[in-house]
Amino acid sequence: MRHKITLIPGDGIGYEVTLAAKRCIEATGVNIEWEEVLAGSDALDKTGELLPQAVLDSIKKNKVALKGPITTPIGTGFRSVNVAIRQALDLYACVRPAKSYIGVKSRFKDIDLVIVRENSEDLYCGIEFKEGEPETLELIRRIEKDTKRKIRQDSGITIKPISKFASQRIVRFAFEYALKNNRKKITCVHKANIMKFTDGLFLEAAREVAKGFAGKIIFEEAIVDNMAMQLVSKPNNYDLLVLPNLYGDIISDLCAGLVGGLGVTPGANIGNDTAVFEAVHGSAPKYKGQNKVNPAAMILSAVLMLRHIKEDNAALKLEQAVKEIIAEGKFVTYDLKADPQDQSAVGTKEMADAIIENIKR
Ligand code: NAD
């Protein structure tokens, strides 16, 4: 079957890592027609826009995209191209597997976790009131009047909306993902003891959805601070975690740290009928064009993409090749060497070449 897929190289190290991933995917023999579109600083130079409409149109049409990292400009009104894409396409589920690979330096072995983060609401909605502004002072007056509680007049305020709809939707997604991917247990992470009307709602929604999967998937609950402690001491006790947006962001980075960091952590942003696959790491601008950084996180994101388009054999082959090259430790980038100064480290392209050789073996 021929697949049409949007390719967004991104900026910074984006070109190098997406090119590496594209070559590796092609080596599996999967038939893909790529539609390449520009977003980020290169798009800004060429079209005057960071996120041209053509990018969103292409993803909407093709339903699947492989995306490189994109730099968020500092000091402009624009929050982030990455967040804008997720919001425009309602990619409500952020899925980040954290898996141990032999050959990657890390504190733990045999970790195989999946983090499912709600992507559409919570403190990331961008509804903020700046300290000292008239509308902020008015809001403070209203809250004090309605709740009989005091708020300092020099406060800034960020709103945290959490809805029953989005909570049920993400938890249902997590259960369905668990069933499809042979996961046994879901832990719902929250702070419902303190935020009763937001995290409490998320937890209630999770309990409700969990009833429909009773007997198929084990359901557990954990308070987020305790979860952080449990993860750094006994990560192997967990399987799949489902969390609201902010905790999901923090805990997924913690889990990336458990398995050896950004170089090997892939991700996916998934909506009802559209999905964008990208590494967890950013555009690392200081390494741009140096053929230096690790392409594995991007290639492992491509593995997730291949599974999503039901090319399971190709996904298996590609993941196995990445695993073997990392375990062998010969044709790997500086960050995967015991000493990052090790002169035998290879470049982005050469690590991809080794993975391609392995696929063809
Ligand atoms: P970053 O992930 O780009 O880089 C942090 C450090 O991690 C790098 O300096 C490098 O040492 C290391 N690193 C990252 N990727 C690596 C790789 N593939 N191989 C080896 N080492 C790697 O994070 P940052 O510096 O905080 O962000 C840079 C820019 O990227 C910012 O503008 C940020 O907003 C953006 N960003 C984009 C995305 C995305 O596109 N989804 C995600 C995160 C950050």
Side-chain angles (χ1 to χ4, degrees), residues 24 28 99-102 296 299-300 302-304 306-307 311-329 351 354-361:
C24 289
T28 65
K99 209 164 164 177
S100 301
Y101 289 102
I102 295 168
I299 297 171
L300 292 169
V303 169
L304 301 180
L306 288 170
R307 279 202 197 106
E311 293 284 359
D312 290 318
N313 286 340
L316 206 67
K317 219 191 287 180
L318 182 51
E319 186 178 18
Q320 190 57 29
V322 174
K323 256 190 209 169
E324 286 175 17
I325 292 303
I326 293 178
E328 196 184 47
M351 183 163 167
I355 293 168
I356 291 166
E357 274 303 304
N358 183 295
I359 292 171
K360 291 185 171 161
R361 227 180 263 158

Side-chain angles (χ1 to χ4, degrees), residues 78-125:
F78 207 91
R79 270 175 196 274
S80 152
V81 172
N82 308 301
V83 175
I85 291 176
R86 288 170 209 159
Q87 287 179 348
L89 302 171
D90 197 20
L91 305 175
Y92 65 85
C94 177
V95 180
R96 288 183 178 176
K99 209 164 164 177
S100 301
Y101 289 102
I102 295 168
V104 179
K105 284 167 281 173
S106 65
R107 272 175 210 279
F108 296 97
K109 283 193 189 113
D110 303 327
I111 292 180
D112 187 5
L113 281 164
V114 175
I115 292 86
V116 174
R117 161 187 172 193
E118 205 291 321
N119 234 357
S120 73
E121 48 182 29
D122 196 350
L123 288 158
Y124 287 69
C125 286

Side-chain angles (χ1 to χ4, degrees), residues 13 17 67-73 82 86 262-263 278-287 293-295 297 333-335:
I13 56 167
V17 292
K67 174 187 163 297
I70 295 175
T71 309
T72 301
N82 308 301
R86 288 170 209 159
L262 291 173
E278 61 180 336
V280 171
H281 63 70
S283 59
K286 70 176 174 189
Y287 291 126
V293 296
N294 187 350
T333 46
Y334 74 99
D335 56 307

Side-chain angles (χ1 to χ4, degrees), residues 31-86:
N31 191 353
I32 293 180
E33 181 189 340
W34 300 98
E35 185 167 276
E36 192 170 320
V37 284
L38 291 186
S41 60
D42 291 3
L44 186 65
D45 292 346
K46 290 202 175 115
T47 69
E49 283 181 282
L50 277 166
L51 179 57
Q53 185 59 36
V55 175
L56 296 174
D57 290 345
S58 171
I59 308 174
K60 274 185 198 156
K61 177 169 55 95
N62 298 327
K63 311 284 184 219
V64 181
L66 186 65
K67 174 187 163 297
I70 295 175
T71 309
T72 301
I74 296 171
T76 71
F78 207 91
R79 270 175 196 274
S80 152
V81 172
N82 308 301
V83 175
I85 291 176
R86 288 170 209 159

